[in-house]
Amino acid sequence: CMTNSIGYYGSWGGQVTPTAAYWQNLYDARAEWAPCESDVTHMLSSYVVYELPFGRKKAFGSSWNAVTNGVLGDWQVSGILQLRGGFPSTVFADDNSGTGERTARANCLGPAQYPKTPAPDGGIQWVSGDSFGPQDLGTFGTCGVGSVRGPGLRTFDLSLQKEFPIGETRRIEFRSEFINFTNTPILNAPAAWIGAGFGQIPSSQGARNIQFGLKIYY
């Protein structure tokens, strides 16, 4: 996904730090052509549903009585695995160009470095500040849009489902869902402004969530 303007979309919280809605230099459109805020280099999203072979009319337990089948039979397990890379972020700085620009980008001094080490004030130092600096006086920043990448996503959601048949057409369904079953931290985007705390990720989201549900089909 490529663009030269994201418009007024996106959020300054969560895993995405949107590129600015304004051009740095109105006479240099080429400098704005860059990955969209939602661009991801690699992504895998997979879903599986497996009906356990236990219970009446199944490979195992076909002769179980009603009580045993009610406890051990007719279970179903499903899962969703999501793996993807990080979203692009733009490195911003104070305006030293003298033009009053509304989107001042930093100077890129070298390739972005990702130490991913504990930050002095807590959190993670995702991007090193050694590769970035303020604008030179009277010039625009040399960094492009979306010049660094935030953390990716690795989550697995698990669901267990049990059905209790009632006659030929009715049934009760019990369902338990474990969102982010492995409780893997979902890191937010790194701070994108040159200065104290730059490149750090101080927070995360998406702790494991467990919920239960009961449905009656008739």
Side-chain angles (χ1 to χ4, degrees):
C1 176
M2 301 290 290
T3 184
N4 65 0
S5 177
I6 67 163
Y8 290 92
Y9 302 104
S11 169
W12 286 96
Q15 284 205 298
V16 180
T17 298
T19 56
Y22 306 99
W23 288 9
Q24 179 177 239
N25 179 0
L26 296 178
Y27 301 98
D28 188 6
R30 181 176 296 180
E32 304 300 319
W33 185 249
C36 307
E37 64 167 49
S38 58
D39 177 75
V40 174
T41 305
H42 301 102
M43 175 183 290
L44 170 68
S45 181
S46 58
Y47 185 86
V48 61
V49 178
Y50 180 61
E51 187 172 303
L52 298 181
F54 301 103
R56 291 182 176 180
K57 300 181 181 180
K58 304 289 178 63
F60 304 98
S62 58
S63 60
W64 285 348
N65 58 45
V67 175
T68 303
N69 187 74
V71 176
L72 301 178
D74 301 311
W75 282 94
Q76 178 179 286
V77 61
S78 59
I80 301 175
L81 175 67
Q82 295 188 76
L83 305 172
R84 65 160 170 76
F87 296 115
S89 292
T90 302
V91 181
F92 298 104
D94 292 333
D95 174 28
N96 288 330
S97 68
T99 64
E101 58 172 319
R102 301 183 68 175
T103 304
R105 297 201 290 269
N107 276 351
C108 282
L109 310 178
Q113 303 175 38
Y114 300 88
K116 303 178 185 179
T117 55
D121 301 326
I124 297 175
Q125 186 69 49
W126 186 262
V127 183
S128 172
D130 295 340
S131 300
F132 305 95
Q135 295 179 334
D136 294 331
L137 189 63
T139 66
F140 293 106
T142 60
C143 285
V145 175
S147 52
V148 300
R149 290 275 176 173
L153 178 73
R154 292 170 177 82
T155 62
F156 178 70
D157 301 333
L158 177 68
S159 173
L160 297 174
Q161 178 179 312
K162 174 77 168 73
E163 291 192 349
F164 301 88
I166 304 175
E168 295 291 332
T169 60
R170 300 178 180 87
R171 72 183 190 275
I172 297 176
E173 177 189 280
F174 167 76
R175 189 179 185 91
S176 58
E177 297 175 332
F178 303 83
I179 310 302
N180 192 5
F181 176 71
T182 57
N183 204 31
T184 303
I186 301 175
L187 301 177
N188 289 327
W193 288 87
I194 291 294
F198 169 75
Q200 297 181 13
I201 300 178
S203 60
S204 63
Q205 57 179 309
R208 179 170 49 227
N209 185 293
I210 303 174
Q211 57 188 25
F212 301 94
L214 193 65
K215 292 183 180 180
I216 299 177
Y217 292 87
Y218 58 92

